[in-house]
Amino acid sequence: MVEIPGYTLLGRVNTPAELRRLPLSELPHLAVEMRRYLIETLGRIGGHFAANLGTVELSLALHYAFDTPRDRLVWDVGHQAYPHKMLTGRRARLETIRRLNGLMPFCHRGESEYDTFGVGHSSTSISAAAGMAAAARIKGEKRRAVAIIGDGGMTGGMAFEAMNHAGHIGLDMLVVYNDNDMSISENVGALRNHSARLVKKLGLGAPHGNRALQDDEEHNEAHLENPGALFETLGFSYHGPVDGHDLDALLAAFERLKDAKGPQLLHVLTVKGKGFDPAEADPIKYHGVTQFDPVTGAFPAKKPGGKPAYTQVFGDWLCQAADRDPKVVGITPAMREGSGLVEFSKRFPERYFDAGIAEQHAVTLAAGLACEGLKPVCAIYSTFLQRGYDQLIHDVAIQNLPVVFAIDRGGLVGADGATHHGAFDLSFLRCIPNMVVMAPSDENECRRMLATGLSLSQPSAVRYPRGNGLGVEMDEDPRPLTLGKGRILREAIGRRRPRVAILAFGAMVQPALEAADILDAVVADMRFVKPLDAELVLQLAQENDLLVTLEDNSRVGGAGSAVNELLAQHHQLVPVLNLGLPDHFIEHGTREELMAQIGLDGPGILRTIQKRLRSKDLDEPLAKRSQG
Ligand SMILES: Cc1ncc(C[n+]2csc(CCOP(=O)(O)OP(=O)(O)O)c2C)c(N)n1
Ligand SMILES: CC(=O)[C@@H](O)[C@H](O)COP(=O)(O)O
Ligand SMILES: [Mg+2]
């Protein structure tokens, strides 16, 4: 037992075993203390917030009713798993979550035996739990598999693929459908509308219910007679809905279902932000938070005159482009706020599509729009585009359709860690025929690249980082760039040898410039990863003794590899140093901490180049080259 000042129960419950020894009558009090602890801790450190206030009772009831860790709980996404972490030995470290060397942002198998599956991207939990249920069947083990998935997560195709399969093969498993009628923004979809109508009809009235109901009330009345018809069709027995904040109701349902045979689905209604008025009133604002006042919910005032975020630059550009061209359409797979589309969604509702957490659909939707002569701009986080990769190749690129991909969160994103870093996009984009791949070095470049993409009759991607631009002046009317042309930003001043040229991509141009002053290096802002500026690369290879490529993408197959391939094709022997993300997964921390850790901050870049310049092997090719 640990004494926690101000808390009577929390310190007594550090494991599910301890929780299960608590009399049922004490659980509501524990829920109150857990909620208060979440508010106080996250008010201090920030993190995913509102969803966690909604899963307090659910987490308590699951660990109380099931024999965890023997029984497998699989949380979808994991942004709502903080109460689960608190109940499984990690409460004291909650204040380190998402920080360097601190608790993992989501569930992670390496962190706890209670984290049965690594998550971060949504809609995977039912497949994973199905795998576990199938394994139990094969091994003849008696353990339960439970997937806990939100209504947002349920919009992802994988969730339905998994249910369709599990329902067919009759696995013994439970899906807890945690329906708070919210994704990060208002949830979307026909299933969502159905659920909201059901809540209304049953008079269950969760505060967010009916928020986005658009069509007439009678429309689906017949379906409401059998609210779980869809799930039943997929082979699941539907139960509920139950109030997800009523511990007695939850426990009764879990007791009833935990040994039930075949696929079961329990529909649970929760409130995102439960118990903290500002978060209940505005769950979008409190989905993920920075520090806030735990009493009022107020956030510190933003300092005026800051540099604009790339996300904002994109959002403003898209509104401007849509103003000028009625064919411009904006698409997001459930990331309206994070992708800078709030303003666009208000001003151009007819041309705005939130596809749900359905990246594959979003990409092919864009392809369909492009087939009909519209100009789709698909705003998508780098990490989530991974989900839509086949669609990108098969539906967009092979048909050479002019879809612009506005790829936010390229490079390291910071606190969300390995599942969310945009570490691979340059590698996986540049190998696709027909694609144009651009990476801006500042916000004006970003606007010009977006304008370039929109002017092309082929697919294109503009990939920019999480965070702010440099505060440069922006052209009101951004001119498209010449395709496949980079630019020299810094010439060498002296004639010191060995002569170094840094070929930098996107956000790495700035640190390149910082390192270049001391080295007196040439710096090229390459602008295009594809088509690469071959003329510029070959010229720099001729004029310099060492080329350094610099990108915040995996070194494997990235922009540096493109340079290497070009040099090899042209039999250029110039020594090359490829700097970029290493070939291992990088965890969480601030972007600055992580970049320093892997030697990609200004001083780190300088150190590595200087070390390379000192190495003997540089002299040999140099000597050969000068003989040649
Ligand atoms: C594949 C994928 N796309 C987008 C996201 C970003 N994302 C994280 S949580 C979330 C909303 C999830 O909604 P829901 O499952 O209902 O959980 P809630 O926050 O409402 O509890 C989204 C879109 C993600 N994690 N994974
Ligand atoms: C859990 C999840 O996937 C999102 O909530 C993500 O954390 C948002 O990231 P940004 O803060 O970069 O928008
Ligand atoms: Mg939800």
Side-chain angles (χ1 to χ4, degrees):
M1 183 174 134
V2 190
E3 282 295 327
I4 315 175
Y7 293 86
T8 55
L9 271 183
L10 211 49
R12 280 169 51 197
V13 182
N14 294 302
T15 63
E18 286 173 351
L19 170 70
R20 292 193 276 268
R21 284 200 288 274
L22 225 55
L24 227 164
S25 57
E26 296 213 271
L27 295 194
H29 185 187
L30 182 57
V32 170
E33 289 199 356
M34 285 175 70
R35 223 171 235 116
R36 185 151 58 82
Y37 193 84
L38 281 169
I39 295 167
E40 283 172 2
T41 307
L42 296 177
R44 231 174 323 115
I45 63 159
H48 286 108
F49 182 52
N52 285 299
L53 295 177
T55 52
V56 170
E57 288 82 7
L58 195 52
S59 308
L60 279 169
L62 283 164
H63 282 292
Y64 202 79
F66 286 90
D67 180 20
T68 54
R70 183 177 166 70
D71 290 341
R72 311 298 199 214
L73 301 185
V74 185
W75 294 89
D76 207 76
V77 185
H79 68 300
Q80 79 296 45
Y82 295 16
H84 156 83
K85 292 197 183 218
M86 288 172 70
L87 292 170
T88 52
R90 289 169 278 179
R91 185 207 15 84
R93 294 183 64 212
L94 189 66
E95 62 181 15
T96 69
I97 197 163
R98 293 158 57 88
R99 302 196 159 186
L100 193 64
N101 304 321
L103 279 189
M104 291 286 175
F106 309 107
C107 297
H108 188 280
R109 281 166 62 83
E111 185 173 281
S112 163
E113 60 180 332
Y114 294 91
D115 289 6
T116 60
F117 199 68
V119 283
H121 287 201
S122 94
S123 319
T124 60
S125 59
I126 305 179
S127 298
M132 291 169 195
R137 182 196 272 183
I138 292 167
K139 291 160 77 183
E141 291 172 353
K142 183 163 166 35
R143 57 173 93 240
R144 293 100 169 185
V146 183
I148 306 106
I149 183 166
D151 54 311
M154 198 62 104
T155 61
M158 265 191 89
F160 288 91
E161 293 170 29
M163 277 192 291
N164 193 36
H165 184 214
H168 176 61
I169 59 176
L171 292 172
D172 295 336
M173 64 180 291
L174 172 63
V175 171
V176 176
Y177 176 31
N178 171 24
D179 179 4
N180 57 17
D181 200 29
M182 291 299 291
S183 189
I184 292 180
S185 22
E186 298 86 2
N187 200 12
V188 298
L191 181 61
R192 182 245 153 241
N193 288 348
H194 171 72
S195 228
R197 272 192 212 96
L198 178 68
V199 168
K200 192 173 177 200
K201 180 183 156 97
L202 298 180
L204 295 169
H208 310 306
N210 313 327
R211 191 171 281 199
L213 269 190
Q214 282 149 359
D215 48 356
D216 64 293
E217 310 269 311
E218 314 314 313
H219 186 63
N220 274 338
E221 194 60 32
H223 295 173
L224 299 183
E225 296 307 319
N226 182 6
L230 171 68
F231 302 114
E232 302 269 352
T233 307
L234 291 171
F236 276 70
S237 302
Y238 173 88
H239 310 269
V242 299
D243 179 346
H245 302 297
D246 180 339
L247 279 159
D248 291 334
L250 285 174
L251 284 167
F254 290 146
E255 282 307 325
R256 211 172 52 246
L257 293 176
K258 69 182 184 186
D259 291 319
K261 289 281 162 215
Q264 312 291 325
L265 182 137
L266 178 67
H267 189 175
V268 173
L269 302 177
T270 59
V271 175
K272 198 159 174 174
K274 176 76 176 174
F276 190 59
D277 289 347
E280 281 195 32
D282 192 347
I284 298 177
K285 187 166 158 192
Y286 289 88
H287 170 83
V289 292
T290 52
Q291 291 175 329
F292 64 90
D293 183 324
V295 177
T296 63
F299 293 98
K302 275 204 183 121
K303 290 189 193 112
K307 296 165 184 162
Y310 277 100
T311 302
Q312 186 64 43
V313 171
F314 162 69
D316 293 346
W317 169 83
L318 187 64
C319 286
Q320 192 184 39
D323 260 332
R324 292 176 182 179
D325 186 344
K327 289 187 173 159
V328 170
V329 177
I331 300 165
T332 172
M335 298 304 285
R336 182 182 67 195
E337 281 70 21
S339 293
L341 288 177
V342 174
E343 183 66 18
F344 181 86
S345 69
K346 289 182 189 152
R347 288 192 48 208
F348 306 95
E350 303 299 321
R351 286 191 270 156
Y352 166 74
F353 295 97
D354 178 346
I357 311 181
E359 289 78 9
Q360 305 182 341
H361 162 57
V363 172
T364 305
L365 177 75
L369 288 158
C371 284
E372 299 302 322
L374 293 179
K375 295 186 178 172
V377 178
C378 187
I380 193 160
Y381 284 19
S382 167
T383 188
F384 301 142
L385 181 56
Q386 292 164 190
R387 273 280 166 91
Y389 192 51
D390 181 57
Q391 288 70 14
L392 178 58
I393 297 173
H394 179 271
D395 300 331
V396 176
I398 290 182
Q399 306 190 83
N400 202 19
L401 292 169
V403 177
V404 178
F405 290 91
I407 304 181
D408 206 323
R409 295 350 185 231
L412 298 185
V413 294
D416 275 340
T419 56
H420 281 57
H421 294 316
F424 311 110
D425 52 25
L426 298 184
S427 308
F428 71 64
L429 289 169
R430 79 172 191 87
C431 60
I432 305 177
N434 291 336
M435 283 298 301
V436 169
V437 185
M438 299 169 265
S441 55
D442 65 40
E443 53 272 47
N444 196 45
E445 285 283 298
C446 187
R447 281 169 65 79
R448 292 194 65 188
M449 288 178 181
L450 289 162
T452 309
L454 206 59
S455 72
L456 296 173
S457 49
Q458 65 191 103
S460 61
V462 182
R463 178 270 199 188
Y464 41 90
R466 190 177 199 276
N468 296 337
L470 306 179
V472 299
E473 224 169 271
M474 284 185 272
D475 303 336
E476 173 56 21
D477 195 5
R479 277 170 301 121
L481 297 166
T482 307
L483 200 60
K485 283 286 154 206
R487 57 179 179 162
I488 300 283
L489 284 187
R490 185 189 190 281
E491 297 279 8
I493 297 163
R495 302 211 42 82
R496 176 158 42 123
R497 294 198 77 150
R499 289 176 302 211
V500 178
I502 308 178
L503 286 65
F505 293 85
M508 299 311 286
V509 169
Q510 208 45 37
L513 285 167
E514 285 161 29
D517 278 343
I518 296 176
L519 299 164
D520 193 20
V522 175
V523 176
D525 172 1
M526 295 303 296
R527 282 179 162 159
F528 290 83
V529 176
K530 188 175 187 172
L532 193 65
D533 188 342
E535 199 185 355
L536 179 59
V537 174
L538 295 174
Q539 179 201 324
L540 292 171
Q542 286 297 317
E543 294 171 357
N544 292 278
D545 305 311
L546 174 68
L547 297 190
V548 179
T549 66
L550 188 52
E551 64 193 302
D552 57 350
N553 178 86
S554 173
R555 280 198 302 257
V556 182
S561 297
V563 171
N564 298 350
E565 287 161 19
L566 182 93
L567 293 171
Q569 275 159 22
H570 289 81
H571 311 290
Q572 290 291 317
L573 288 176
V574 61
V576 183
L577 173 63
N578 296 130
L579 299 183
L581 302 181
D583 187 17
H584 61 78
F585 290 108
I586 296 165
E587 292 186 352
H588 49 287
T590 64
R591 189 175 190 273
E592 292 68 32
E593 286 166 341
L594 298 176
M595 291 297 268
Q597 202 174 57
I598 56 175
L600 283 187
D601 59 343
I605 293 164
L606 183 61
R607 263 197 319 274
T608 312
I609 299 176
Q610 283 173 330
K611 189 168 162 214
R612 185 74 174 85
L613 289 173
R614 283 195 300 272
S615 74
K616 283 242 174 295
D617 65 320
L618 196 62
D619 301 336
E620 289 168 30
L622 267 182
K624 274 199 201 126
R625 270 156 41 91
S626 41
Q627 281 160 22

